[in-house]
Amino acid sequence: MATFAPSPAAVADIGVTGMAVMGSNLARNLARNGFTVAIHNRSVGRTEAVMDEHGSEGDFRPSESMADFVASLKSPRVAIVMVKAGAPTDAVIDELADLMDEGDIIVDCGNALYTDTRRREAALRERGLHFVGAGVSGGEEGALNGPSIMPGGPKESYDRLGPMFEKIAAQYDGEPCCTHVGEDGAGHFVKMVHNGIEYADMQVISEAYDLMSRALGMSAAEIGDVFDTWNKGDLESFLIEITATVLRHEDQRTGKPFVDVILDRAAQKGTGAWAVQTALDLGVPVTGIAEATFARSVSGSVPQREAARAVLPAQVEAQDVPDREQFIADLQQALYAAKLVSYSQGFDEIAAGAAQFDWDIDLGAMARIWRAGCIIRAKFLDRITEAYRRDPKLPLLLADEYFTQEITRCVPAWRRVVAFAAAHGFPAPVFAATLSYYDAVRSERLPAALVQAQRDYFGAHTYQRVDTEGTYHVEWSADRSETRQDQPEGSVTHGAVDRAAGEQSQRRSTEGESHHQG
Ligand code: NAP
């Protein structure tokens, strides 16, 4: 086994620890771009393999120990951590921090939950170190040839780190797909939402495929051709492109369409679920992302699927669609509309996160750095950047003039697709949920008024009126009189809720609900 002599001087511009696929590719990308790169891995074998196979690609400085790795870095030191997410990342950060000096920068390029990044950033700040959580999208290929990079952390660390990241990031129209996203966990937050949008995109593409396959009886290769055509229009994107390729691919073992030999259970690593959980906490309706995440869960609900198939067999079969070309054209427009809603909802989540955690996130810049390198790269992201340029305070992406026009154009086709799917028993959760959101968000009045009345009935949760100021409650179990709840103490009549005792009210609500359910 080769051992590496400690570097005689601190010469490396940047270091990467974690030489599995992502870390080694990122290190190679940095080295190929002219940076001197220190490399390290817990087990030295991976470092040796990188040197054996790729050592000639640039100026690498391999180290066997973490101490030698840190010593080989120029000051202020920049060390990227690219190891398994969770406890291993914490362990490596701790080991690095013990060896580093004030002003040095530790960068976590793994897929961390933004709350972990906030915790790590605060802890390292206490020790005088900079911690940057950077979202990296584009998979192995992107890490090697140019990912989209979403760094958070202290702004001043970007002065040192930014030029290197901007050089290795994907470029679009001469602009790097990397920018400082915001403080502490902002980078990982935005990467999380990016992945959520990716879930929604993938699911709605799959729903369009499913309808062409099962309703029109088209072969996978024929559907691949349709996606190829779509990739030349508004839908042009990496995901549409790879969908066409995958659908045209034949299984080498059986000669069957590749998609037909794959078990229909989609896996997930958690970022989609994080995006939904966070949206629930923030009260942001990301229904496209949520339905896409649940669709994966449905696919994996094997006992439930088996039990349901046994007693409720689906009667779905190829339908006699009179105008197949019109149906495919409808699907294209429905796909575009559903995608617009998913992105609009995703940007709402980023805006809500920014407001909650006091991050100054430029929403237009987020769309700009997703135009190349990442999985959701798409032509229409330019339109999002333009929309936020027109109005940086745009409350809803769909309210931008371009998107308003586009979605309005697609609505009739979108409704036909959702209606067809429902009428004939095809699941289309993202098509349907995004249409439902579209109809809800533009409604003059929502049935939430009735929900609020119900809440007041069983939990004394109070309500507000359309015709006057104030917060009210009806004495449902007594004379059904209405009492105002937000007047100064003493002027509230009997039975009033102590609004200050929010916890108590919450408890009553729970009791009321459980009683009701019981
Ligand atoms: P990985 O399989 O997630 O992790 C393997 C690496 O972690 C190895 O270098 C391993 O070292 C190291 N490691 C594990 N436990 C450790 C510990 N306790 N102490 C020190 N090192 C430890 O590698 P990956 O697929 O390259 O991904 C790296 C990170 O990038 C992850 O956070 C992942 O979520 C994220 N990411 C991955 C992708 C992707 O497409 N794969 C895309 C974006 C982001 P040993 O060799 O010694 O075991």
Side-chain angles (χ1 to χ4, degrees):
M1 191 206 308
T3 45
F4 305 112
S7 183
V11 290
D13 300 304
I14 191 164
V16 183
T17 178
M19 286 293 111
V21 61
M22 289 298 287
S24 60
N25 280 2
L26 207 60
R28 290 170 61 198
N29 187 352
L30 284 157
R32 287 171 174 190
N33 274 286
F35 298 108
T36 299
V37 188
I39 59 171
H40 168 266
N41 193 70
R42 177 179 61 175
S43 40
V44 72
R46 284 196 202 263
T47 314
E48 288 168 351
V50 174
M51 291 310 292
D52 289 347
E53 290 160 35
H54 308 289
S56 60
E57 290 175 11
D59 189 3
F60 293 101
R61 301 296 162 124
S63 291
E64 192 170 344
S65 75
M66 191 66 103
D68 287 348
F69 169 74
V70 170
S72 71
L73 297 169
K74 275 186 210 162
S75 185
R77 304 180 183 99
V78 182
I80 294 177
V81 178
M82 205 47 163
V83 302
K84 207 171 261 315
T89 298
D90 274 316
V92 172
I93 291 170
D94 282 348
E95 198 181 348
L96 269 173
D98 287 344
L99 295 162
M100 287 186 136
D101 295 317
E102 202 167 317
D104 287 349
I105 304 167
I106 298 177
V107 189
D108 174 18
C109 284
N111 264 339
L113 181 59
Y114 76 97
T115 47
D116 286 338
T117 304
R118 283 169 59 78
R119 168 179 58 77
R120 289 166 181 153
E121 197 275 334
L124 291 191
R125 188 164 7 105
E126 289 265 295
R127 300 173 67 171
L129 296 169
H130 293 291
F131 182 71
V132 174
V136 176
S137 177
E140 304 170 22
E141 167 73 21
L144 183 61
N145 296 319
S148 170
I149 313 180
M150 295 151 251
K155 181 84 177 86
E156 56 270 38
S157 60
Y158 195 77
D159 296 339
R160 168 94 169 86
L161 186 61
M164 291 191 277
F165 271 2
E166 290 186 10
K167 199 157 179 199
I168 65 161
Q171 308 289 316
Y172 186 95
D173 270 356
E175 291 178 310
C177 292
C178 174
T179 191
H180 181 245
V181 172
E183 297 285 312
D184 59 76
H188 277 139
F189 187 97
V190 166
K191 171 64 172 24
M192 170 188 76
V193 175
H194 163 287
N195 284 25
I197 293 174
E198 178 184 309
Y199 273 51
D201 252 5
M202 291 168 73
Q203 172 64 22
V204 77
I205 287 172
S206 305
E207 290 172 17
Y209 149 77
D210 192 37
L211 286 166
M212 282 187 269
S213 170
R214 293 200 291 153
L216 296 185
M218 290 169 69
S219 72
E222 285 171 331
I223 303 170
D225 291 344
V226 171
F227 278 105
D228 199 37
T229 314
W230 290 357
N231 198 37
K232 295 179 179 72
D234 293 327
L235 288 170
E236 183 186 323
S237 61
F238 171 71
L239 282 171
I240 296 279
E241 180 193 325
I242 66 163
T243 301
T245 306
V246 166
L247 287 172
R248 287 161 161 176
H249 180 63
E250 273 185 6
D251 176 44
Q252 292 182 347
R253 277 201 235 173
T254 60
K256 289 183 180 168
F258 178 63
V259 71
D260 292 347
V261 300
I262 297 179
L263 206 60
D264 61 346
R265 288 179 213 159
Q268 48 185 315
K269 279 192 177 170
T271 42
W274 290 347
V276 178
Q277 285 159 353
T278 302
L280 287 170
D281 289 343
L282 293 171
V284 184
V286 291
T287 56
I289 299 171
E291 284 298 343
T293 308
F294 284 130
R296 292 195 191 188
S297 307
V298 171
S299 77
S301 301
V302 177
Q304 290 83 353
R305 288 179 66 187
E306 280 173 2
R309 270 206 307 271
V311 292
L312 303 163
Q315 302 297 327
V316 176
E317 51 197 41
Q319 302 295 320
D320 189 12
V321 177
D323 190 342
R324 296 165 68 87
E325 275 185 23
Q326 179 64 49
F327 187 78
I328 293 171
D330 281 357
L331 279 175
Q332 183 181 10
Q333 291 195 12
L335 183 44
Y336 192 45
K339 185 178 161 109
L340 294 185
V341 169
S342 303
Y343 278 70
S344 186
Q345 294 179 336
F347 276 86
D348 279 352
E349 182 168 1
I350 297 176
Q356 174 77 18
F357 301 109
D358 210 14
W359 297 323
D360 184 17
I361 300 182
D362 175 348
L363 297 177
M366 298 306 101
R368 186 157 48 74
I369 65 170
W370 291 346
R371 289 179 305 174
C374 67
I375 305 298
I376 62 169
R377 58 187 181 259
K379 188 175 150 194
F380 99 120
L381 285 163
D382 259 338
R383 302 287 192 177
I384 299 183
T385 306
E386 284 165 21
Y388 285 114
R389 199 171 285 148
R390 276 192 284 275
D391 179 3
K393 300 238 172 300
L394 194 64
L396 171 84
L397 194 55
L398 297 177
D400 170 73
E401 61 192 42
Y402 170 79
F403 290 113
T404 300
Q405 227 175 53
E406 285 298 279
I407 205 148
T408 306
R409 173 176 69 82
C410 294
V411 166
W414 194 10
R415 291 198 190 288
R416 285 194 291 273
V417 166
V418 172
F420 176 91
H424 297 285
F426 296 101
V430 173
F431 275 136
T434 49
L435 178 59
S436 195
Y437 169 84
Y438 166 80
D439 283 329
V441 80
R442 69 202 183 93
S443 275
E444 194 65 43
R445 196 160 158 76
L446 291 170
L450 177 57
V451 171
Q452 197 60 16
Q454 292 164 336
R455 294 181 73 236
D456 188 61
Y457 185 104
F458 65 69
H461 288 294
T462 74
Y463 55 91
Q464 289 168 312
R465 300 182 56 96
V466 295
D467 51 3
T468 183
E469 293 289 303
T471 302
Y472 298 88
H473 168 61
V474 166
E475 298 302 328
W476 293 101
S477 52
D479 62 354
R480 301 205 170 173
S481 61
E482 182 180 73
T483 52
R484 185 166 178 167
Q485 305 296 302
D486 58 344
Q487 285 165 348
E489 232 172 82
S491 60
V492 178
T493 55
H494 71 280
V497 180
D498 178 0
R499 291 201 327 111
E503 283 173 20
Q504 194 187 341
S505 168
Q506 179 62 41
R507 182 168 53 76
R508 260 194 299 235
S509 149
T510 314
E511 284 166 0
E513 278 168 0
S514 57
H515 172 74
H516 191 70
Q517 283 158 12

